[in-house]
């Protein structure tokens, strides 16, 4: 557990200052076609300081974490802040105070003992064996067992000090099969949980039902057809709604990107979606349940609250850090987060979700004459214009309200605030996804989710 | 660094490693940040890194930490050997043999004043010359460091180097209308020239201004695309990942796995890794697995000459090892001037950025043409909106109609413009 060498330095804070000590530990085992190609542990930790003066920041970090190194990192950050203030001369006043916030947030989740690597190795090996024995038609497979723990200590000149521990355990399974004409097709299934790896991943047979479905889908995909390119009515599986909320909308309503010219700038308080659509970036609790990646205090010492983004189709807010909140005249809600000790906090999403509706998934599909049911996405990217794209790994034709043939890999695209206006049905269930990393200068773990949606989108194909 | 790496290596051997390697790095990075056309941050990061690999009876363990003191090294050594002991044996695991040890020094010293001054100049030039451009995010940095690689076969390399880097993400803006974002940057050895003139940067900024007003392709057609050097991912990185690299060949999913010596592309295509090209700034003197880097032809005159396999990948697949830097890719220039290449396109797309799904092993690619322009009757006309392209990369390599005489570098790659036929283009 990290010792607190930070609080003692508070007496030396002159301007708005954040001191953060952090250790990220990652264990990973990769089995590629039965070969253990990765068996590694990465531990990266240290201390950083960020100082705000006159409208710009100075930041410094170092790997050593001792009372002396904290002092020298703070001095280096202060020196950088002075350099910027002297040379840029923005002349901004100090950041508004967070008066009234609790002084300290104690550890919410107890820090557990590190687990031996053999737990990941044994699990990956057993899972590989089960897959090989059971799924005869696959031509290859990759299994990744991964455990990531982040521990942070934060001391701020103004706001809430924090001690945080966040463990994430993941298993990825990639299956490959060949089509009749020898072309390889692949599918990925990720399983992610918050906690110790061996709390969730002990017996690979617990994944059997999901892997049976994956194998069935891969068989269907191996006989898949190319999608017919163009604008089509689509039903998005709940797994895609998370990507939609994160990529297509979430990034455009991060206040730094709004200031940089995103389409959401002039859209505030305007109808940007069907009245069925509401969307929130939840801090730590959503719909009465804990979020998969809860944030209680951000890395600027702001107590985290939910950020309402779209309400009944109207864009009602952005996500902020303390500086952008001042610019827009609103209260910061705890979105400034850093991934490693050497990263400065940026405006990041936390648990970004489209709210569930009242319809049933089968009814969404039944109402489509000629379209697609899109089930799995590989990746996604959004644009400042709101134009977005998702890679589609698995989808099916819908003909006269019934599922048809699987389709080959393709891409869908749309303009978020136009596409969301075409949403005419939303399912009453929802799925969370926490397995990936968001990339915005730094990596970041984020939660995202939502229900199934029916809408119109542009689909690639032939 | 050599002493630290040697110490860690000795400890690995003492702890029971039959074979071991260690890479130790000490570095520093200073970085200016700009957001929304305003300076926001000066960041100083001290970057220590220790990468240990131990083999015990053919079983591998890898431990990576960011500390270089002896007590941290001793802990990491214990962890690394324990990892190896708990792994499965794999006869393909090995370390590089002793061939020739070398020390490299390309360090030229910091010019932070120059970096700050060039960064300010960049922002001013954008404001003055490209008034419709909004810089969403910009960073400029100077990085320096020393690295040592040693292994238990007696291999020892050291390198001391430094470089400057900048990256800018920008949009064209006019009132409430805006272009798609684009990004571009470069690695530079010194601060002798304005940043805005590096690689294709100025051209991409100018094109962002021209992309505020866009046109939608309203039908589907099959045509040509000209892939610019700014859009390297869609072709060249896909080849490395899906057809030439370790994973796809070990899994057997590469559709080129049995094609060595065969024609896989139009004869105009020569595709290679050239870390020794003098235009490369990042100085990759030796590989992560302990070999001096060499220039390697992957495809020469359309014929597959080599895969991009590491030592492990080569041992595992029985195919030849390619000790090179897979990032420093170069496509040989052709004999068609860019202007003439454009004239040869009746209907197609000038592709500056591609936003698409991760291409699978089949080679099928589909996605959105971003920051791209329609070409009609040999002329670049309108900026495109919501236009998708789909093609199979393996088929398209056989349909290369021209490669430009001109090439561009951003300090890591050297790439020309490349024209492919048979691409499906579809709008709304």
């Amino acid at each position: 557990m990290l010792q607190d060498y930070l609080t003692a330095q508070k007496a030396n804070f002159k301007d708005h200052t954040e001191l953060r000590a952090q250790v990220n530990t990652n264990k990973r085992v990769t089995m590629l076609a039965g070969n253990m190609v990765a068996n590694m542990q990465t531990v990266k930790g240290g201390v950083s300081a960020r100082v705000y003066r006159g409208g710009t920041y100075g930041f410094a970090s170092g790997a050593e974490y001792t009372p002396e190194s904290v002092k020298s990192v703070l001095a280096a950050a202060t020196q950088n802040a002075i350099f910027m203030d002297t040379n840029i001369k923005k002349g901004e006043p100090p950041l508004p105070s967070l008066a009234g916030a609790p002084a300290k947030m104690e550890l919410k989740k107890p820090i557990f003992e590190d687990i031996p690597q053999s737990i990941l190795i044994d699990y990956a090996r057993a899972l590989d064996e089960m897959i090989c024995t059971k799924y005869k038609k696959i031509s290859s497979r990759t299994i990744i067992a991964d455990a990531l723990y982040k521990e942070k200590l934060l001391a701020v000149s103004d706001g809430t000090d924090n001690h945080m521990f966040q463990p994430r355990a993941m298993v990825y399974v990639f299956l490959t099969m060949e089509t009749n004409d020898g072309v390889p097709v692949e599918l990925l299934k990720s399983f992610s949980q918050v906690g110790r790896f061996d709390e969730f991943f002990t017996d690979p047979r617990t994944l059997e039902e999901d892997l049976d479905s994956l194998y069935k889908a891969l068989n269907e995909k191996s006989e898949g057809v190319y999608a017919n390119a163009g604008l089509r009515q689509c039903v998005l599986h709940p797994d895609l709604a998370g990507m939609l909320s994160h990529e297509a909308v979430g990034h455009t309503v991060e206040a730094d990107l709004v200031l940089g010219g995103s389409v959401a700038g002039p859209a505030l308080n305007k109808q940007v979606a069907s009245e069925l659509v509401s969307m929130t970036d939840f801090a730590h609790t959503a719909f009465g349940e804990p979020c998969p990646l809860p944030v209680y205090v951000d890395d600027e010492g702001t107590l985290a609250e939910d950020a309402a983004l779209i309400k009944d189709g109207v864009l009602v807010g952005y996500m902020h850090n303390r500086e952008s909140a001042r610019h827009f005249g609103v209260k910061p809600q705890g979105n400034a987060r850093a991934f490693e000790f050497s990263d400065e906090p940026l405006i990041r999403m936390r648990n970004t979700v489209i709210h569930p509706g009242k319809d049933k998934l089968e009814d969404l599909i039944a109402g489509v004459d000629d379209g697609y049911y899109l089930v799995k996405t590989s990746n996604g990217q959004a644009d400042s214009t709101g134009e977005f794209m998702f890679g589609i790994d698995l989808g099916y034709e819908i003909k006269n309200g019934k599922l048809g043939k699987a389709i080959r890999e393709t891409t869908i695209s749309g303009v978020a605030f136009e596409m969301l206006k075409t949403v005419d049905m939303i399912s009453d269930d929802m799925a969370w996804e926490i397995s990936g990393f968001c990339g915005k200068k730094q990596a970041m773990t984020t939660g995202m989710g939502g229900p199934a949606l029916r809408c119109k989108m542009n689909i690639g194909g032939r | 660094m050599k002493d630290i790496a040697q110490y860690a290596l000795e400890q690995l051997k003492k702890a029971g490693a039959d074979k071991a390697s260690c890479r130790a790095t000490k570095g520093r990075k200073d970085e200016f940040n700009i957001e929304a056309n305003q300076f926001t941050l000066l960041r100083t990061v001290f970057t220590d890194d220790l990468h240990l690999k131990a083999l015990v009876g053919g079983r591998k363990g890898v431990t990576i930490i960011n500390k270089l003191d002896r007590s941290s090294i001793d802990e990491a050594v214990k962890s690394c050997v324990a990892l190896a002991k708990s792994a499965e044996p794999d006869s393909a695991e090995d370390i590089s043999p002793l061939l020739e040890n070398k020390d490299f020094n390309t360090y030229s010293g910091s010019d932070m004043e120059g970096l700050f001054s060039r960064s300010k100049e960049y922002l001013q030039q954008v404001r003055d010359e490209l008034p419709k451009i909004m810089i969403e995010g910009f960073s400029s940095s100077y990085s320096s460091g020393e690295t040592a690689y040693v292994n238990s076969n007696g291999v020892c390399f050291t390198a001391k180097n430094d470089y400057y880097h900048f990256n800018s993400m920008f949009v064209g803006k006019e009132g409430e209308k805006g272009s798609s974002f684009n990004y571009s940057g470069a690695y530079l050895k010194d601060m002798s020239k304005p940043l805005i003139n590096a690689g294709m940067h100025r051209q991409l900024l100018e094109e962002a201004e021209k992309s505020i007003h866009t046109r939608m392709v309203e039908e589907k057609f099959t045509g040509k695309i000209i892939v610019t050097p700014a859009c390297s991912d869609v072709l060249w990185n896909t080849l490395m990942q899906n057809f030439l690299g370790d994973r796809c060949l070990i899994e057997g999913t590469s559709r080129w796995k049995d094609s060595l010596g065969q024609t896989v592309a139009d004869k105009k295509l020569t595709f290679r890794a050239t870390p020794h090209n003098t235009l490369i700034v990042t100085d990759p003197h030796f590989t992560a697995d302990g070999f001096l880097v060499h220039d390697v032809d992957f495809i020469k005159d359309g014929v597959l000459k080599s895969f991009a396999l590491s030592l492990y990948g080569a041992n595992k697949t029985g195919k030849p090892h390619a000790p090179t830097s897979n990032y420093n890719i170069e496509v040989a220039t052709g004999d068609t001037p860019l202007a003439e290449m454009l004239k040869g396109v009746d209907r197609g797309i000038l592709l500056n950025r591609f936003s698409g799904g991760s291409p699978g092993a089949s080679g099928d690619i589909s996605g959105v043409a971003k920051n791209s322009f329609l070409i009609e009757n040999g002329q670049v006309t309108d900026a495109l909106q919501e236009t998708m392209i789909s093609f199979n990369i393996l088929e398209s390599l056989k349909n290369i109609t021209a490669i430009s005489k001109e090439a561009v570098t951003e300090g890591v790659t050297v790439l020309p413009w490349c024209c492919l036929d048979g691409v499906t283009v579809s709008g709304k």
Side-chain angles (χ1 to χ4, degrees):
Chain A
M1 188 155 91
L2 286 166
Q3 297 295 304
D4 183 7
Y5 303 136
L6 308 181
T7 309
Q9 287 302 320
K10 281 194 168 192
N12 297 323
F13 291 176
K14 292 188 177 64
D15 301 286
H16 167 83
T17 302
E18 302 141 12
L19 270 179
R20 177 162 41 92
Q22 183 172 341
V23 180
N24 288 12
T25 304
N26 182 222
K27 291 168 176 286
R28 177 167 277 217
V29 171
T30 305
M31 302 280 294
L32 176 61
N35 306 292
M36 192 174 293
V37 294
N39 174 30
M40 64 194 295
Q41 176 171 310
T42 305
V43 183
K44 290 197 172 177
V47 61
S48 65
R50 191 170 73 150
V51 176
Y52 185 81
R53 178 178 281 212
T56 50
Y57 281 102
F59 180 94
S61 72
E64 195 185 341
Y65 181 51
T66 60
E68 295 72 35
S69 70
V70 174
K71 205 183 273 186
S72 62
V73 159
L74 177 59
T78 304
Q79 203 176 352
N80 282 351
I82 291 169
F83 176 90
M84 292 298 276
D85 186 36
T86 309
N87 287 280
I88 303 300
K89 297 186 179 75
K90 273 183 165 175
E92 295 280 351
L95 291 169
S97 161
L98 294 176
K104 190 165 186 176
M105 181 73 72
E106 298 295 345
L107 207 55
K108 287 272 184 188
K109 197 168 183 74
I111 295 175
F112 51 66
E113 289 275 306
D114 195 8
I115 57 166
Q117 189 91 355
S118 57
I119 287 179
L120 277 73
I121 291 174
D122 292 345
Y123 186 85
R125 192 185 283 138
L127 180 56
D128 189 59
E129 206 172 292
M130 185 182 94
I131 287 170
C132 276
T133 309
K134 194 157 186 207
Y135 307 123
K136 298 291 183 193
K137 282 173 69 182
I138 58 166
S139 56
S140 188
R141 72 283 176 193
T142 300
I143 290 154
I144 299 172
D146 185 282
L148 172 69
Y149 324 130
K150 285 190 285 184
E151 187 191 353
K152 286 182 189 181
L153 268 180
L154 178 75
V156 289
S157 54
D158 169 46
T160 304
D161 293 349
N162 190 26
H163 189 187
M164 179 273 256
F165 178 65
Q166 196 171 68
R168 186 174 81 163
M170 288 183 298
V171 171
Y172 299 95
V173 177
F174 297 77
L175 300 183
T176 307
M177 188 181 282
E178 291 196 352
T179 61
N180 289 337
D181 50 353
V183 176
V185 289
E186 301 160 305
L187 275 181
L188 158 70
K189 174 79 186 165
S190 60
F191 304 88
S192 46
Q193 298 285 348
V194 175
R196 265 172 72 124
F197 188 89
D198 56 352
E199 278 180 70
F200 307 101
F201 301 113
T202 48
D203 181 351
R205 283 174 297 185
T206 60
L207 308 186
E208 208 167 352
E209 197 179 323
D210 284 318
L211 292 176
D212 285 350
S213 302
L214 188 73
Y215 183 62
K216 178 173 175 284
L218 187 60
N219 270 288
E220 290 161 351
K221 187 177 170 182
S222 72
E223 294 167 5
V225 295
Y226 285 104
N228 185 14
L231 186 67
R232 302 281 178 259
Q233 191 165 32
C234 297
V235 175
L236 309 187
H237 184 277
D239 282 355
L240 269 79
M243 186 71 91
L244 184 71
S245 55
H246 180 100
E247 291 291 349
V249 181
H251 280 301
T252 64
V253 293
E254 291 168 332
D256 49 347
L257 298 188
V258 172
L259 290 168
S262 105
V263 68
L268 193 63
N269 298 320
K270 291 184 182 164
Q271 194 81 29
V272 296
S274 142
E275 288 176 0
L276 299 172
V277 177
S278 290
M279 186 174 145
T280 303
D281 179 58
F282 289 102
H284 46 75
T285 309
F287 312 115
E289 300 283 332
C291 291
L293 291 171
V295 175
Y296 294 93
V297 176
D298 76 1
D299 294 326
E300 291 183 338
T302 301
L303 205 62
E305 298 172 2
D306 300 341
L309 303 173
I310 296 175
K311 189 164 170 39
D312 302 329
V314 176
L315 180 66
V316 293
Y318 306 135
M319 288 169 277
H320 291 283
N321 58 20
R322 290 181 66 171
E323 204 179 14
S324 75
R326 176 177 67 183
H327 176 92
F328 285 96
V330 296
K331 188 180 168 198
Q333 291 170 307
N335 285 91
R337 302 164 65 210
F339 186 64
E340 291 198 348
F341 76 95
S342 53
D343 292 328
E344 74 279 17
L346 302 177
I347 298 174
R348 307 306 293 256
M349 285 173 255
R350 300 164 300 185
N351 299 278
T352 317
V353 171
I354 294 176
H355 296 207
K358 293 177 180 167
D359 303 305
K360 297 290 176 197
L361 173 60
E362 50 272 29
D363 295 333
L364 270 65
I365 293 169
V368 177
D369 288 336
D370 184 11
Y372 293 96
Y373 175 44
L374 305 171
V375 181
K376 281 186 181 295
T377 173
S378 55
N379 64 325
Q381 194 179 57
D383 201 324
S384 42
T385 57
E387 192 177 16
F388 65 90
M389 80 80 209
F390 305 154
I392 297 296
D393 271 357
L394 179 66
Y396 296 88
E397 294 176 332
I398 307 175
K399 301 284 183 193
N400 301 316
K402 296 203 180 324
L403 293 185
K405 288 182 178 170
I407 56 171
R408 301 277 286 263
E409 279 144 17
T410 188
T411 301
I412 53 172
S413 73
V415 175
F417 292 162
E418 289 174 17
M419 184 281 284
L420 286 172
K421 287 176 185 162
T422 71
V423 172
D424 63 355
M425 289 179 90
I426 298 182
S427 75
D428 59 0
D429 53 352
M430 70 165 285
W432 282 102
E433 173 62 54
I434 59 164
S435 62
F437 289 92
C438 170
K440 178 183 168 185
K441 191 178 179 195
Q442 316 151 10
M444 181 53 73
T445 48
T446 56
M448 54 193 183
L453 305 171
R454 194 169 76 185
C455 57
K456 284 186 178 160
M457 294 181 127
N458 207 15
I459 189 160
R462 290 194 172 176
Chain B
M1 277 306 100
K2 199 188 284 187
D3 291 345
I4 291 172
Q6 287 289 6
Y7 172 79
L9 182 65
E10 289 310 312
Q11 298 311 304
L12 284 167
K13 289 195 283 190
K14 277 184 198 165
D18 309 323
K19 294 180 177 181
S21 67
C22 171
R23 192 175 68 242
T25 302
K26 193 167 195 60
R28 174 183 171 138
K29 179 178 181 180
D30 293 285
E31 177 189 88
F32 293 104
N33 282 210
I34 291 171
E35 285 176 22
N37 286 1
Q38 307 259 347
F39 275 93
T40 54
L41 176 83
L42 169 57
R43 175 170 173 257
T44 301
V45 183
F46 295 94
T47 50
D48 296 349
D49 187 65
L50 185 77
H51 189 289
L52 304 177
K53 173 177 167 181
L55 296 179
V56 181
R59 294 170 295 175
K60 178 178 74 170
V62 171
T63 297
I64 301 166
I65 59 171
N66 69 330
K67 293 186 170 49
L68 298 173
D69 62 279
R70 288 207 167 186
S71 148
S72 300
I73 292 173
D74 292 346
E75 278 299 307
V77 163
K78 270 191 218 161
S79 151
C80 187
V81 173
L83 290 187
K85 285 180 176 169
S86 60
E88 290 182 342
D90 186 340
S91 58
E93 286 293 355
D94 207 349
I95 54 172
S96 56
L98 175 58
L99 297 171
E100 180 190 9
N101 288 339
K102 266 192 157 177
D103 298 316
F104 299 91
N105 188 346
T106 53
Y107 178 80
S108 49
S110 157
D111 177 10
M112 280 304 291
E113 270 185 32
L115 179 67
F116 184 51
S117 152
R118 287 292 182 204
S119 303
K120 280 197 297 182
E121 172 192 62
Y122 172 84
L123 190 53
Q124 198 57 49
Q125 281 179 307
V126 169
R127 283 175 178 153
D128 294 345
E129 298 169 35
L130 298 146
K132 292 178 187 166
I133 293 295
M134 169 67 84
I135 304 296
E136 280 191 347
F138 165 97
S139 66
S140 58
S141 60
Y142 168 74
S143 300
S144 58
E146 284 185 70
T147 299
Y149 172 91
V150 296
N151 76 21
S152 54
N153 283 341
V155 174
C156 179
F157 302 130
T158 65
K160 185 174 180 184
N161 67 356
D162 60 350
Y163 58 83
Y164 299 85
H165 176 245
F166 82 96
N167 190 64
S168 183
M169 188 168 163
F170 48 85
V171 295
K173 221 35 200 161
E174 197 175 270
E176 291 191 356
K177 275 196 79 67
S179 74
S180 287
F181 74 78
N182 203 352
Y183 52 85
S184 152
Y187 289 83
L188 304 161
K189 198 62 198 164
D190 57 49
M191 287 287 97
S192 60
K193 291 177 187 156
L195 303 181
I196 201 168
N197 293 338
M200 281 184 72
H201 197 71
R202 183 185 281 275
Q203 185 180 337
L204 294 173
L205 288 167
E206 288 169 356
E207 287 178 353
E209 284 200 327
K210 290 178 193 160
S211 306
I212 295 169
H213 301 283
T214 54
R215 171 173 154 193
M216 201 174 294
V217 174
E218 286 175 355
E219 72 276 53
K220 184 159 77 174
F221 68 91
T222 302
K224 291 177 180 169
I225 57 169
I226 295 179
V227 182
T228 74
C231 189
S232 64
D233 286 15
V234 66
L235 294 181
W236 316 122
N237 293 356
T238 300
L239 292 187
M240 297 301 281
Q241 283 169 21
N242 291 15
F243 308 104
L244 297 171
D246 273 10
R247 183 185 163 186
C248 60
L249 287 159
I250 293 171
E251 278 197 300
T253 55
S254 168
R255 295 180 69 188
W256 284 349
K257 64 185 174 197
D258 301 316
S259 301
L260 215 53
Q262 294 176 21
T263 298
V264 294
D266 184 277
K267 66 179 179 187
K268 286 188 275 300
L269 181 67
T270 292
F271 171 60
R272 54 201 178 204
T274 54
H276 290 146
N277 189 318
T278 53
L279 296 169
I280 302 301
V281 169
T282 46
D283 299 327
H285 302 292
F286 42 90
T287 65
D289 55 0
F291 291 85
L292 290 174
V293 295
H294 296 275
D295 290 352
V296 171
D297 286 337
F298 300 121
I299 298 172
K300 188 165 171 57
D301 303 328
V303 175
L304 183 64
K305 292 288 186 186
S306 174
F307 296 113
L309 287 166
S310 69
L311 176 65
Y312 176 79
N315 288 347
K316 200 75 206 171
T317 59
K319 298 181 193 302
H321 175 215
T324 189
S325 165
N326 293 341
Y327 299 105
N328 300 124
I329 55 174
E330 177 181 345
V331 173
T333 52
D335 52 11
T336 310
L338 178 58
E340 206 172 294
M341 184 190 284
L342 286 164
K343 279 184 198 159
V345 179
D346 291 334
R347 197 155 191 230
I349 288 179
L350 183 68
L351 189 71
N352 270 325
R353 184 164 74 87
F354 176 78
S355 177
S358 306
S362 65
D364 288 336
I365 290 178
S366 71
V368 184
K370 292 279 188 183
N371 310 98
S372 298
F373 292 81
L374 197 61
I375 308 170
E376 295 168 298
N377 302 318
Q379 299 286 323
V380 176
T381 56
D382 297 305
L384 288 168
Q385 178 191 339
E386 288 191 79
T387 303
M388 297 194 86
I389 56 171
S390 310
F391 60 101
N392 183 283
I393 188 170
L394 300 183
E395 290 167 21
S396 293
L397 289 183
K398 292 175 181 161
N399 289 323
I400 294 174
T401 61
I403 293 179
S404 71
K405 264 186 169 176
E406 302 87 342
V408 170
T409 183
E410 35 39 311
V412 180
T413 62
V414 185
L415 297 171
W417 282 252
C418 184
C419 185
L420 309 176
D421 204 355
V423 174
T424 303
V425 178
S426 58
K428 259 187 171 178

